[in-house]
């Protein structure tokens, strides 16, 4: 879905010469490197990994971008893989892939890693943070005429109050 290739020169030994993570949709030419960014939120529509390479070998070659969520999945697999093939006589160019913030939000907020593979071998990895507000899970709630103790110790619960109670405290365990 977010996988494109563009190149313009021949060569021999493959290498990645530049790489960035960005919220800018890359253009179909490799003349302009997107602006690097390391922190993203739900205000961003997608996160892109962009790499410039040179000296791609002839023949059909494969590319993959593997996106790993904070803490990893239980099965060790990436949260998303963008894969494609490249077959051209031109050997220098750029490639990019994206992941939507809707997909990122399916996992815990925190530090993500993206890896770029060429023909099954890892050539680059980068990290970024994705943060969003998470819902507060209330485990216990009580009302009390007594304030919480030191270190927010649980006060005695009350369910009846009168005019002599000058303050009512809500204590939440979350």
């Amino acid at each position: 879905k977010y996988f494109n290739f563009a190149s313009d020169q021949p060569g021999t030994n493959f290498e990645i010469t530049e790489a960035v993570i960005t919220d800018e949709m890359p253009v179909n030419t490799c003349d302009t490197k997107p602006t690097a960014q390391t922190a993203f939120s739900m205000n961003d529509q997608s996160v892109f990994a962009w790499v410039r390479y040179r000296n791609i070998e002839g023949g059909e070659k494969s590319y993959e971008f593997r996106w790993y969520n904070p803490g990893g999945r239980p099965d060790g697999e990436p949260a998303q893989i963008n894969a494609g093939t490249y077959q051209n006589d031109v050997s220098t160019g750029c490639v990019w892939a994206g992941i939507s913030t809707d997909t990122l939000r399916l996992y815990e907020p925190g530090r993500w890693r993206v890896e770029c593979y060429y023909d099954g071998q890892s050539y680059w990895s980068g990290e970024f943070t994705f943060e969003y507000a998470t819902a507060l899970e209330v485990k216990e709630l009580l009302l009390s005429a007594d304030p919480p103790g030191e270190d927010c110790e649980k006060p005695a619960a009350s369910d009846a109050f009168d005019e002599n109670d000058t303050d009512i405290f809500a204590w939440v365990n979350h």
Side-chain angles (χ1 to χ4, degrees):
K1 185 173 178 176
Y2 295 104
F3 205 75
N4 295 294
F5 294 97
S7 49
D8 59 5
Q9 299 175 7
T12 56
N13 295 322
F14 181 81
E15 68 178 316
I16 290 179
T17 58
E18 292 183 275
V20 296
I21 298 172
T22 184
D23 67 341
E24 296 175 24
M25 173 66 164
V27 294
N28 281 333
T29 66
C30 298
D31 300 333
T32 306
K33 178 173 82 172
T35 303
Q37 188 173 332
T38 58
F40 301 89
S41 70
M42 287 304 294
N43 293 329
D44 300 299
Q45 192 171 34
S46 295
V47 176
F48 297 95
W50 177 94
V51 297
R52 182 175 285 155
Y53 61 84
R54 68 174 168 209
N55 303 329
I56 195 169
E57 300 162 347
E60 187 171 296
K61 300 296 177 181
S62 64
Y63 284 88
E64 282 187 359
F65 286 88
R66 299 178 187 176
W67 304 84
Y68 293 91
N69 56 298
R73 287 183 13 171
D75 61 7
E77 292 296 314
Q80 177 175 303
I81 297 175
N82 302 89
T85 58
Y86 178 80
Q87 188 170 2
N88 199 324
D89 294 333
V90 186
S91 71
T92 301
C94 62
V95 62
W96 64 89
I99 187 169
S100 75
T101 53
D102 289 337
T103 300
L104 296 174
R105 190 165 183 179
L106 296 174
Y107 301 91
E108 292 294 317
R111 183 164 293 283
W112 281 72
R113 185 176 81 251
V114 58
E115 299 174 349
C116 179
Y117 287 76
Y118 165 70
D119 230 18
Q121 183 176 347
S122 177
Y123 276 86
W124 173 82
S125 70
E127 293 187 344
F128 63 94
T129 56
F130 178 70
E131 300 294 339
Y132 62 91
T134 56
L136 178 68
E137 181 183 338
V138 175
K139 297 176 183 169
E140 184 178 10
L141 169 68
L142 64 85
L143 298 176
S144 176
D146 301 321
E150 285 190 39
D151 297 324
C152 202
E153 293 170 2
K154 181 178 174 179
S158 302
D159 60 4
F161 303 93
D162 61 34
E163 64 275 354
N164 294 324
D165 294 316
T166 57
D167 294 309
I168 299 174
F169 299 91
W171 180 86
V172 178
N173 179 9
H174 59 89

